[in-house]
Structure formats: structure tokens, C-alpha cells
């Protein structure tokens, strides 16, 4: 049976092999890697306000609906309403409203700021698709996503969420190290 350290070891080994393959390919051909100079500026006030808003929304979802405000759970429950699944949740309205709010927020921002928020992730469509698949598999294996475990699970003092968040953070650190220093 896999434990968290086994999975982290597999991820590290996999990332190392990917970095070696990319390094070899870069040395042999003209190969454009995703741009890694997408660092965002340090904005403590905006970060504080954003964190407060996320906390308020998590508290509202828990208080109003008795549910965890994890994006993977919300979207999978929403999709289950459209796809025939046994045990599908019947509380579709708040899930749709939550996802609509996620989509509407940058549009509302653009009304006041006069432009859409800057995209700070690489624009490699293939890379983003692969990352999305990996995150989807990870949320299934980890029984939740970063928002569910990190925001709500830690607030409820869940040991499972603490282990999940430590795994997220360790994997993120290894990923940044590999992308910044090995690729």
C-alpha cells in the first residue's frame, strides 16, 4: 500500500526524469520551454484581502450548506448532476452559484480595473492540459484539493488535511526547484 512518502518519492523521481529528458532535448534541438519568468509582484495588501475573502466564502459555504468549500468536491458534485452517477448530490443550485462566482469574479474585476487580471501562468496549452490532468488525478488520490484541505481541512484541524497540505507544499517546493535549477 502506498503511503504519502512513496507517492512523493515517485513524483520526485518522475520530475527528475522529465527534467533530464527536457535537458537532452534542449541540447540537441531548438526547443522552446515554457517561460518561467512569470513571477508576480509582492502584494501583501491584495493577498490579505484575497485570503479574507476566501475565508469568508469557505465559512459561508460551511455555515449555509454544511459543506466543505473545496473546488474539486464542488465541481465533481456539479458534474454528477449532469452525468448519471450513483449517489450524486442533489444540491446543484449552490454549486452552480459558486462556480458562476468563480467565473464572474475576473469579469467584475475587469469592469472596475478596465482590463482583465494578468495571467501569471505559462501559456503553453499542452503544459496546462497535462498539469490539469495531473491535478485531477491528485485530487482523486488525495480525496480533495488544495482549497478543501488547505483552507477548510486545516481550519477544522483535520489530520488528513494536514498530511495532504504538507504533501502539496513539499511537492510544490520540489517542482519549483526542478524547474528553476534543473531544467
Amino acid at each position: 500500500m502506498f503511503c504519502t512518502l512513496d507517492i512523493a518519492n515517485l513524483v520526485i523521481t518522475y520530475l527528475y526524469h522529465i527534467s533530464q529528458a527536457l535537458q537532452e532535448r534542449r541540447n540537441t534541438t531548438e526547443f522552446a520551454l515554457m517561460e518561467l519568468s512569470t513571477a508576480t509582484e509582492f502584494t501583501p495588501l491584495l493577498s490579505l484581502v484575497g485570503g479574507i475573502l476566501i475565508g469568508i466564502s469557505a465559512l459561508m459555504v460551511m455555515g449555509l450548506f454544511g459543506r466543505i468549500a473545496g473546488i474539486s468536491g464542488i465541481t465533481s458534485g456539479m458534474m454528477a448532476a449532469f452525468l448519471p452517477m450513483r449517489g450524486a448530490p442533489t444540491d446543484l443550485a449552490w454549486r452552480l452559484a459558486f462556480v458562476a462566482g468563480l467565473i464572474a469574479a475576473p469579469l467584475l474585476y475587469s469592469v472596475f480595473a478596465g482590463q482583465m487580471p494578468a495571467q501569471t501562468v505559462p501559456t503553453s496549452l499542452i503544459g496546462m492540459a497535462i498539469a490539469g490532468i495531473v491535478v485531477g488525478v491528485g485530487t482523486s488520490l488525495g480525496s480533495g484539493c488544495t482549497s478543501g484541505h488547505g483552507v477548510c481541512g486545516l481550519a477544522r484541524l483535520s489530520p488528513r488535511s494536514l498530511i495532504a497540505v504538507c504533501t502539496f507544499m513539499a511537492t510544490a517546493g520540489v517542482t519549483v526547484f526542478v524547474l528553476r535549477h534543473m531544467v
Side-chain angles (χ1 to χ4, degrees):
M1 180 174 201
F2 281 114
C3 72
T4 304
L5 293 176
D6 291 331
I7 293 171
N9 189 22
L10 286 172
V11 169
I12 292 168
T13 304
Y14 182 69
L15 288 173
Y16 175 76
H17 288 297
I18 288 175
S19 71
Q20 292 299 315
L22 288 173
Q23 189 67 35
E24 289 174 18
R25 187 169 177 187
R26 185 191 300 165
N27 291 338
T28 58
T29 62
E30 290 286 326
F31 182 67
L33 289 175
M34 62 182 166
E35 182 61 42
L36 293 178
S37 63
T38 56
T40 57
E41 60 187 79
F42 180 63
T43 57
L45 182 60
L46 292 177
S47 301
L48 177 65
V49 170
I52 290 171
L53 290 174
I54 290 170
I56 289 171
S57 71
L59 186 62
M60 287 176 62
V61 169
M62 178 62 81
L64 295 172
F65 308 111
R67 300 288 189 177
I68 302 296
I71 303 304
S72 63
I74 291 170
T75 55
S76 66
M78 190 176 75
M79 294 306 295
F82 297 108
L83 302 172
M85 294 182 183
R86 188 171 22 166
T90 58
D91 52 355
L92 179 63
W94 76 268
R95 294 172 190 271
L96 286 172
F98 195 94
V99 172
L102 293 175
I103 295 168
L107 300 175
L108 184 63
Y109 172 87
S110 69
V111 168
F112 292 106
Q115 63 183 9
M116 289 294 283
Q119 180 178 344
T120 58
V121 295
T123 56
S124 165
L125 188 57
I126 294 172
M128 289 174 68
I130 291 170
I133 291 168
V134 170
V135 167
V137 170
T139 59
S140 296
L141 290 174
S143 300
C145 58
T146 54
S147 57
H149 284 299
V151 175
C152 300
L154 290 181
R156 294 181 308 117
L157 303 176
S158 166
R160 181 176 77 169
S161 291
L162 178 61
I163 292 169
V165 170
C166 289
T167 304
F168 298 153
M169 297 305 290
T171 303
V174 169
T175 302
V176 168
F177 177 79
V178 168
L179 289 176
R180 298 285 182 193
H181 302 290
M182 298 176 85
V183 177

